[in-house]
Amino acid sequence: MTYRDVQKAAERVAGQVRPVALAPVDPGTWGAAEGWLALEYLQHTGSFKARGAYNFISSHVAAGAMPDAGVVIASGGNAGLACAWAAARHSARATVFVPETAPAVKVERLRRLGADVRQVGTEYADALAASEKYAAETGALRSHAYDHPLIAAGAGTLMEEILAVRPDLDTVVVAVGGGGLFSGVAASALERGVGVVAVEPRGSRALNAALEADAVVDVPVDSVAADSLGARQVSSTALEWARKDGVRSVLVSDEAIVAARQALWDERRIAVEHAAATALAAITSGAHRPGPAEKVAVVLCGANTDPGDLVHGR
């Protein structure tokens, strides 16, 4: 996956996805010269995943490579939602395998989008194995939650839009699960000399562990953000991009993630999922301390969450 792939994806998704909005943060709040929240949770289906899904499905439809069985994907929720949405846009069938632990709000939305939803196992890996068996039996096109060049390139279109508005940006802060969003964002950001802070929960650190081992490795998954950031392995593409100059990997605690999510609600009435709050937690916990002249954007990547535990916020 290259920067040119991101550029091609931007051409495909133009007019089909919602351009990302940037909300300024009060000067000095993060210790940075200027800061912005990239409100990607306002995207179709509630997360950045719509970008990659549309790029993936539109590419296959244009090439005449969409089978009668449609597309199949395993997902903790967000990628499945995006796949179902993009498939419907192209009048294609979508079968989505999710763990039994997937939030009920995501499962219900999948069904409303017309997907055939199948709940299997307790982790993403269980749903993935079941989806691969289904694809082998039916001939359905296999999509992936993050590990495909078209998916990652589509996600990178988010960064293209951010830089179109703020070409003077110094740093982008983004949460990492399996690495699709990170890979696409890094391809775009590093092309323009923008640094990338890759943020993971301590209990779900697939990229950080891969960098430590200098190879893709299995990691245990135990985090409040595991419904979205629960990949046992990061993609090889993500590891390749993470090795490049300008990328920094940091870890944050579940407590910091919960606090960042609550602060977004208390201070801005923004209700996001824990994965989105993970990126902000890098700033609020001090895992990344912006310099006084640094211009920083934090990606709020999704909001498919039950906001019931935020109602007691101030």
Side-chain angles (χ1 to χ4, degrees), residues 171-268:
T171 307
V172 61
V173 184
V174 63
V176 183
L181 176 62
F182 162 74
S183 298
V185 164
S188 174
L190 297 180
E191 179 73 16
R192 317 289 187 83
V194 176
V196 183
V197 178
V199 193
E200 296 172 282
R202 293 188 184 281
S204 185
R205 52 182 290 264
L207 179 63
N208 186 266
L211 284 168
E212 191 175 87
D214 197 29
V216 173
V217 294
D218 273 350
V219 297
V221 174
D222 182 16
S223 170
V224 69
D227 64 317
S228 294
L229 305 181
R232 289 184 189 175
Q233 291 188 351
V234 75
S235 71
S236 58
T237 300
L239 177 56
E240 178 183 346
W241 282 102
R243 288 174 172 143
K244 297 183 183 296
D245 291 341
V247 176
R248 181 178 178 226
S249 168
V250 303
L251 301 176
V252 294
S253 68
D254 275 6
E255 291 77 12
I257 294 168
V258 170
R261 179 171 176 263
Q262 185 67 52
L264 284 167
W265 175 251
D266 291 347
E267 298 167 13
R268 290 177 176 263

Side-chain angles (χ1 to χ4, degrees), residues 45-286:
T45 73
S47 86
F48 74 94
K49 296 282 190 179
R51 297 173 179 273
Y54 194 92
N55 189 46
F56 177 85
I57 289 177
S58 65
S59 295
H60 282 85
V61 169
M66 180 62 67
D68 291 341
V71 61
V72 61
I73 189 171
S75 168
N78 284 346
L81 287 167
C83 183
W85 168 81
R89 287 284 181 105
H90 292 85
S91 300
R93 294 173 57 187
T95 303
V96 182
F97 285 81
V98 300
E100 294 172 359
T101 53
V105 63
K106 293 184 181 180
V107 173
E108 177 57 29
R109 288 195 66 200
L110 278 167
R111 292 187 172 126
R112 288 204 305 268
L113 285 166
D116 177 4
V117 184
R118 308 192 183 194
Q119 292 185 267
V120 178
T122 59
E123 292 186 10
Y124 169 76
D126 301 321
L128 178 61
S131 73
E132 290 174 342
K133 180 181 178 182
Y134 176 87
E137 293 172 348
T138 66
L141 173 67
R142 297 179 185 180
S143 185
H144 198 281
Y146 56 87
D147 195 4
H148 192 284
L150 289 169
I151 298 292
T157 63
L158 164 67
M159 194 66 209
E160 291 289 281
E161 292 175 5
I162 291 173
L163 289 171
V165 178
R166 300 301 325 184
D168 57 342
L169 196 69
D170 296 306
T171 307
V172 61
V173 184
V174 63
V176 183
L181 176 62
F182 162 74
S183 298
V185 164
S188 174
L190 297 180
E191 179 73 16
R192 317 289 187 83
V194 176
V196 183
V197 178
V199 193
E200 296 172 282
R202 293 188 184 281
S204 185
R205 52 182 290 264
L207 179 63
N208 186 266
L211 284 168
E212 191 175 87
D214 197 29
V216 173
V217 294
D218 273 350
V219 297
V221 174
D222 182 16
S223 170
V224 69
D227 64 317
S228 294
L229 305 181
R232 289 184 189 175
Q233 291 188 351
V234 75
S235 71
S236 58
T237 300
L239 177 56
E240 178 183 346
W241 282 102
R243 288 174 172 143
K244 297 183 183 296
D245 291 341
V247 176
R248 181 178 178 226
S249 168
V250 303
L251 301 176
V252 294
S253 68
D254 275 6
E255 291 77 12
I257 294 168
V258 170
R261 179 171 176 263
Q262 185 67 52
L264 284 167
W265 175 251
D266 291 347
E267 298 167 13
R268 290 177 176 263
R269 284 303 187 257
I270 290 176
V272 296
E273 57 195 78
H274 290 97
T278 297
L280 181 59
I283 302 289
T284 56
S285 71

